[in-house]
Amino acid sequence: MPDVVIAFFALGLAAGLLKSDLKVPDPVYQTLSILLMLILGLKGGQALHGKFEIAMLSTLVPIMGLGVLIPMLCYPMLRRLVRLTVDDAASVAAHYGSVSAGTFAIVLTMVEKTGVLLTPETTLYLVILELPAIVLMLWLHRRLTGTKSGHGIMQEALTSRGVMLLGGGVLIGYLYGPVGLAPLQPVLLDGFKTMLAVFLLEMGLCTAKVCVPLPWHHWRLMVFAAVAPFALAWLGIGTALALDLPQGSALVLAALAASASYIAAPAAVQASIPGANIGLAMLAALGITFPINILIGLPTFEKWVQMVY
């Protein structure tokens, strides 16, 4: 059986497809997304407490390079094969080079449940992969179109909600450690899986909303969104093997490489590339790639990692 939180996604998806009146109020969803990113940061910082070493940068810097490599590979495919405009190709490439906090939360839960080895800095992968693709694609779009849409890109990216919550959470968790965070443990940290379940219920409802009716005239983009995760996962696995990462860290990296952002990237792209159709990016990232990853991809990536380790 898949993890119980996946069942909540399936419930939301079914409710949406059946046109149920089930709805997670927007303030609740916004609160959950804030709490989840904050908790992920806290967990990451807590894992690093008393263990951070400069030598970890030799692993983290190449992993950050994935955030540059993936959009550079995706962009020409989106332009030539999927036949998107410059605006939309840059937008979708930014979404696929960035990562999904929801997917990260699920794969982290999987790894912790199975007990396979994770390095302490694994929880930083989400933080360091959040930005590079967004910054790169907004810069590339500015270069290709000759616009000033990329003005203040770095400042906007570094001060975005996701980065502030994840980065701030890591810093707080690192400084305070398990003892300092103990007062937050019962409600905040121990409640992580419950929050994730309700968040995934809303993600199921959102997926149904962007996929019904399916815009078949964008079939090339839908094929890309369905196939890309399985190819990109191997980039993550290959990077993990090259860096000699343990099996748990390899699975997390594969899942992140295969994922696409549907929280941080849409906000950044919408502000800087007004000509991009965010609906297309959400169709691909949230409507197709996200459900494929959590329903099919993660168990497949787990088998692939076990096969090569």
Side-chain angles (χ1 to χ4, degrees), residues 142-179:
R142 180 176 62 179
R143 296 284 295 180
L144 292 174
T145 61
T147 66
K148 296 183 179 180
S149 61
H151 179 69
I153 289 171
M154 187 60 73
Q155 181 182 356
E156 289 176 18
L158 291 174
T159 56
S160 66
R161 179 180 68 173
V163 173
M164 294 298 293
L165 288 168
L166 290 168
V170 168
L171 181 61
I172 292 170
Y174 175 72
L175 292 174
Y176 283 84
V179 175

Side-chain angles (χ1 to χ4, degrees), residues 121-208:
E121 68 270 23
T122 302
T123 45
L124 291 179
Y125 296 174
L126 178 66
V127 182
I128 63 175
L129 285 170
E130 185 84 52
L131 289 181
I134 297 173
V135 174
L136 175 65
M137 282 297 107
L138 297 187
W139 173 84
L140 179 64
H141 176 267
R142 180 176 62 179
R143 296 284 295 180
L144 292 174
T145 61
T147 66
K148 296 183 179 180
S149 61
H151 179 69
I153 289 171
M154 187 60 73
Q155 181 182 356
E156 289 176 18
L158 291 174
T159 56
S160 66
R161 179 180 68 173
V163 173
M164 294 298 293
L165 288 168
L166 290 168
V170 168
L171 181 61
I172 292 170
Y174 175 72
L175 292 174
Y176 283 84
V179 175
L181 293 177
L184 302 179
Q185 188 75 38
V187 175
L188 200 59
L189 299 177
D190 289 348
F192 173 74
K193 202 160 186 177
T194 300
M195 296 178 205
L196 179 60
V198 181
F199 177 81
L200 289 177
L201 177 69
E202 172 64 8
M203 288 297 95
L205 291 166
C206 290
T207 299

Side-chain angles (χ1 to χ4, degrees), residues 34 75 114 116 131 144 156 168 175 197 242 250 253 263 293:
I34 288 171
Y75 180 80
T114 56
V116 291
L131 289 181
L144 292 174
E156 289 176 18
L175 292 174
L253 189 56
I263 297 175
N293 270 339

